[in-house]
Amino acid sequence: MSANIIDGKEFALKVRTRVAEQVTILKADHGLTPGLAVVLAGDDPASHVYVRNKNKSTLAAGMKSEEIRLADTVSQEEVLAVVERLNADPSIHGILVQLPLPSQVDETAVIDAIDPAKDVDGFHVVNTGRQAVGLDAMVPCTPLGCIMMLKDQLGDLSGLNAVVVGRSNIVGKPMASLLLGENCTVTISHSRTKDLPAVCRSADILVAAVGRSEMIKGDWVKPGATVIDVGINRIELDTGKTRLVGDVCFSEAVEVAGAITPVPGGVGPMTIACLLANTVTAACRIAGVSEPEIG
Ligand code: NDP
């Protein structure tokens, strides 16, 4: 039996369309144009591509987009001054500082300086803490996209066994917290986990956020499980060309799982869509208006 392939591109398009509709209503009813600022320091080529895509998507949704490019030699004080200016700017509701930052800049200090209400990446400890105790929070975009796809696929997640492989602050931990919030029985596994294949085989929902090409094999997957592959790994082919693969061995897992996200075209497209959705949420909370319901 072959799994249902979860189409992240199509799902992300639906989310982006809904966000654009919400923006239209916010402008018309409240004179509110959500604004997202992205700060990029340094010359990392991948970061430049991400930031360009974010800028294009933000404008396409009808929002204000501001891009601040800083030199690779920028000082910590200069980055903090930019964040302070954006915190005080009433036309900006979301601030994203593209990571990694140049080595002379302390990432934690920069994230701590962002107004938690404008922290659309959901990395500020205030948002991490609020999410952990079940209060309204800005939720990191990648786990948010994963939970949206899971709910769309499975409906009620209550009582399901969920295994998250990876415990990073930006994916693994918030993912586990969101699954717990949906009443799953959650296991977080990592590099010290004993008998990882057996742990994975217990999962009705298996989320892989490891950063190791095709590490999770088909026989680690419980028949019928829903598999969400967050990993993005570039591998070199014999031809010298490169290809993106996930943390799950897709060709094997697709024969066992009930549903699975591909790489590329699964979780990736949802991340930017959720960034736009978070910016609308932030704008509404800051302005004290409720988020427009669509359809
Ligand atoms: P990190 O490197 O921060 O974390 C990786 C986690 O995997 C760690 O908790 C680590 O465990 C665990 N791990 C490493 N090796 C093993 C192993 N052999 N067995 C079990 N666990 C292991 O990565 P991120 O969370 O930032 O990212 C994970 C992947 O997701 C990457 O491929 C990244 O590119 C991708 N990604 C994709 C996004 C998207 O938009 N689709 C967004 C963000 C990330 P330990 O803590 O013990 O070291």
Side-chain angles (χ1 to χ4, degrees):
M1 192 192 74
S2 199
N4 175 27
I5 313 285
I6 302 172
D7 187 339
K9 269 195 200 159
E10 192 185 297
F11 200 119
L13 183 61
K14 279 192 212 155
V15 174
R16 295 215 312 258
T17 304
R18 196 182 65 223
V19 166
E21 287 168 1
Q22 288 179 314
V23 171
T24 304
I25 295 171
L26 287 172
K27 283 178 177 173
D29 291 359
H30 302 283
L32 176 63
T33 302
L36 173 67
V38 179
V39 181
L40 173 61
D43 323 309
D44 180 41
S47 294
H48 277 260
V49 174
Y50 294 145
V51 169
R52 221 176 9 251
N53 288 340
K54 284 168 187 168
N55 180 36
K56 261 174 45 186
S57 306
T58 308
L59 292 172
M63 297 195 237
K64 174 181 166 160
S65 172
E66 185 173 341
E67 208 179 301
I68 297 111
R69 290 177 184 254
L70 302 169
D72 200 36
T73 52
V74 70
S75 70
Q76 166 122 1
E77 290 66 33
E78 285 169 300
V79 180
L80 290 175
V82 168
V83 169
E84 282 311 320
R85 174 179 71 73
L86 295 169
N87 281 343
D89 183 340
S91 73
I92 294 297
H93 307 94
I95 303 170
L96 182 150
V97 177
Q98 185 69 45
L99 304 179
L101 288 167
S103 57
Q104 71 277 13
V105 182
D106 177 353
E107 287 184 355
T108 307
V110 172
I111 291 167
D112 277 354
I114 297 173
D115 178 349
K118 297 188 177 187
D119 168 39
V120 281
D121 246 345
F123 294 166
H124 194 289
V125 284
V126 165
N127 283 313
T128 312
R130 288 181 67 89
Q131 193 210 338
V133 296
L135 294 172
D136 275 350
M138 300 310 303
V139 176
C141 303
T142 300
L144 181 59
C146 294
I147 207 84
M148 285 166 77
M149 289 195 287
L150 281 168
K151 284 166 78 171
D152 183 64
Q153 186 66 35
L154 297 170
D156 184 10
L157 309 184
S158 286
L160 295 177
N161 283 340
V163 172
V164 180
V165 191
R167 56 175 163 179
S168 72
N169 290 334
I170 61 169
V171 189
K173 283 180 195 155
M175 187 72 232
S177 175
L178 286 173
L179 288 161
L180 193 59
E182 296 298 327
N183 301 312
C184 292
T185 304
V186 184
T187 304
I188 307 179
S189 55
H190 44 77
S191 66
R192 309 290 174 90
T193 297
K194 288 189 180 139
D195 199 356
L196 185 59
V199 173
C200 290
R201 273 193 290 274
S202 72
D204 302 309
I205 295 170
L206 179 60
V207 181
V210 189
R212 294 192 185 269
S213 314
E214 302 182 318
M215 185 187 86
I216 293 174
K217 307 299 176 199
D219 63 0
W220 298 23
V221 176
K222 180 178 177 177
T226 302
V227 179
I228 303 289
D229 190 352
V230 181
I232 302 178
N233 311 290
R234 191 169 285 283
I235 57 165
E236 192 155 336
L237 304 172
D238 294 341
T239 57
K241 290 190 175 161
T242 62
R243 185 164 74 91
L244 289 183
V245 297
D247 291 339
V248 177
C249 181
F250 183 85
S251 59
E252 293 178 11
V254 74
E255 298 298 330
V256 188
I260 185 166
T261 57
V263 177
V267 173
M270 283 297 286
T271 298
I272 289 188
C274 288
L275 174 66
L276 303 180
N278 272 353
T279 304
V280 167
T281 302
C284 290
R285 288 182 187 163
I286 291 167
V289 303
S290 44
E291 274 179 67
E293 294 280 344
I294 306 291

